[in-house]
Amino acid sequence: MTSKNWEKLGKYTKVFDRIIFMIDSENQSDSKKETLVILHGYPTSSYDYHKVLPQLAKKYRVILHDHLGFGFSEKPLDFSYSLIEQADIALQLWKQLGLKKVVLLAHDYGTSVCTEIIARHNKQQIHLQIDKLILSNGSIHIEFSKLRTIQKLLKNKYTGKWVARLTNYPIFKRNMRNVYFDKTKVTDEELKEMWLQLEYNNGRNVIHLLTNYINERYYFWYRWVGALKETSIKTTIIWAENDPIAIPKIAELLHKEISDNKIFWMKNCGHFLMLEQPKEWSSLVLKA
């Protein structure tokens, strides 16, 4: 699956006057299937799900979109890229699609967008029924996250802009490959497709702005971790045991804190579960 072929599966739509790329596996609002909405991770895109979409679509109407600043979506310089605004965009997109009830799945960066949505859901501030929640390898408990050096440099308000300009494909490839447990599970061709989407629409100009999400995870810790402690939504935690960033301790804490949850561990697997072990990960999602 090339990035161009992935783009052909989707379409572009306007949300708050910003251009958002999205994929709807059913392309219709009267599907009899449950709807699964997916919030992808950093610094990649909805393309993370190209290996699992066919399997997920057997059970669900699957809706994915590239967050603003990611993948094929617009990458404006005049935007804060706050996770709160990313939640606004996701909710508005789903509203425009006429969604009333969903299963919500989030990974990595997407888990923070998700917890903002859950915080609003707990206070009945959104008109969306969330039947189930599925969380995979996100640094929700940011205090235990093992950030990569490049993430630390990019999130810094002094060094971020300059590091972004110096970032290139070899640096990206090395950092991405290092978060896989089995390095043979990702090809150079696949990494190149990810890089092409990161660079699309001059994406390197905003990568340091996107990385500010790490700081927000500290600022809104009580709101977002608190939202998961308060929620009554049935939750499934699917976690890679060998993630060097979102380590198992984070999943163990979530398992203790969320009232109605079950946890599944994926052995010999790194940060991008759906790419490294797509069949195993999909089967767990379908069991949720």
Side-chain angles (χ1 to χ4, degrees):
M1 174 68 72
T2 66
S3 54
K4 282 298 180 185
N5 287 337
W6 184 249
E7 184 185 16
K8 289 175 184 176
L9 291 178
K11 65 178 182 179
Y12 290 89
T13 188
K14 275 201 169 185
V15 180
F16 299 133
D17 291 323
R18 301 293 189 181
I19 298 169
I20 299 296
F21 174 76
M22 61 158 290
I23 288 177
D24 184 344
S25 68
E26 297 289 302
N27 285 312
Q28 56 188 15
S29 59
D30 60 348
S31 172
K32 300 296 188 292
K33 298 177 180 177
E34 286 183 277
T35 300
L36 175 69
V37 293
I38 296 178
L39 299 170
H40 72 78
Y42 166 100
T44 47
S45 70
S46 59
Y47 180 75
D48 291 348
Y49 297 87
H50 73 274
K51 292 180 179 178
V52 298
L53 180 57
Q55 195 168 349
L56 297 180
K58 291 176 183 177
K59 177 179 178 180
Y60 292 109
R61 174 191 179 190
V62 184
I63 294 172
L64 310 105
H65 73 280
D66 291 345
H67 303 298
L68 197 71
F70 293 78
F72 291 118
S73 287
E74 189 177 345
K75 296 171 180 174
L77 289 172
D78 60 336
F79 194 78
S80 73
Y81 294 103
S82 166
L83 290 159
I84 290 173
E85 289 187 285
Q86 298 284 22
D88 290 339
I89 289 169
L91 288 166
Q92 180 61 23
L93 172 64
W94 300 337
K95 182 179 179 181
Q96 289 173 196
L97 292 171
L99 304 185
K100 303 296 183 187
K101 44 191 281 188
V102 300
V103 175
L104 175 53
L105 185 154
H107 169 250
D108 186 75
Y109 177 102
T111 60
S112 289
V113 181
C114 168
T115 49
E116 171 59 25
I117 291 170
I118 297 301
R120 300 183 199 185
H121 185 273
N122 290 346
K123 295 177 174 61
Q124 299 181 334
Q125 294 173 336
I126 59 175
H127 301 290
L128 182 70
Q129 180 179 327
I130 301 173
D131 289 335
K132 287 183 283 187
L133 179 61
I134 304 169
L135 300 173
S136 277
N137 289 71
S139 298
I140 299 164
H141 276 279
I142 187 64
E143 67 275 23
F144 295 112
S145 178
K146 305 296 183 183
L147 297 177
R148 317 301 288 181
T149 300
I150 193 165
Q151 287 178 298
K152 294 176 183 177
L153 292 171
L154 283 167
K155 77 181 180 69
N156 185 287
K157 66 180 180 179
Y158 300 110
T159 60
K161 186 175 182 179
W162 306 108
V163 173
R165 289 181 180 178
L166 294 171
T167 299
N168 55 30
Y169 174 61
I171 292 172
F172 171 82
K173 182 171 72 169
R174 182 174 66 251
N175 277 280
M176 285 294 292
R177 198 180 288 281
N178 283 342
V179 299
Y180 280 72
F181 175 75
D182 183 348
K183 309 295 189 284
T184 67
K185 292 292 182 71
V186 60
T187 65
D188 287 349
E189 290 76 18
E190 190 176 3
L191 290 169
K192 188 67 175 179
E193 296 299 334
M194 294 179 192
W195 174 251
L196 289 172
Q197 290 182 58
L198 187 150
E199 276 206 307
Y200 183 81
N201 275 348
N202 297 312
R204 271 193 288 179
N205 290 337
V206 302
I207 189 69
H208 63 294
L209 301 176
L210 302 182
T211 314
N212 189 54
Y213 82 95
I214 297 168
N215 297 319
E216 283 194 290
R217 278 178 159 161
Y218 286 103
Y219 300 154
F220 296 106
W221 190 96
Y222 289 102
R223 176 176 174 84
W224 293 341
V225 173
L228 292 177
K229 290 179 179 179
E230 292 170 17
T231 190
S232 59
I233 299 170
K234 180 181 177 182
T235 301
T236 299
I237 301 166
I238 304 172
W239 218 265
E241 285 191 346
N242 307 97
D243 188 340
I245 303 171
I247 62 173
K249 185 176 181 66
I250 295 172
E252 291 163 2
L253 281 170
L254 296 176
H255 185 43
K256 290 178 183 177
E257 292 167 345
I258 300 171
S259 61
D260 183 4
N261 83 86
K262 54 187 175 181
I263 188 167
F264 297 99
W265 295 99
M266 290 181 60
K267 298 181 182 296
N268 301 321
C269 188
H271 186 68
F272 286 92
L273 314 83
M274 68 294 297
L275 290 170
E276 190 167 348
Q277 294 186 15
K279 289 183 180 178
E280 296 85 345
W281 182 84
S282 296
S283 66
L284 292 173
V285 170
L286 295 175
K287 286 179 187 175

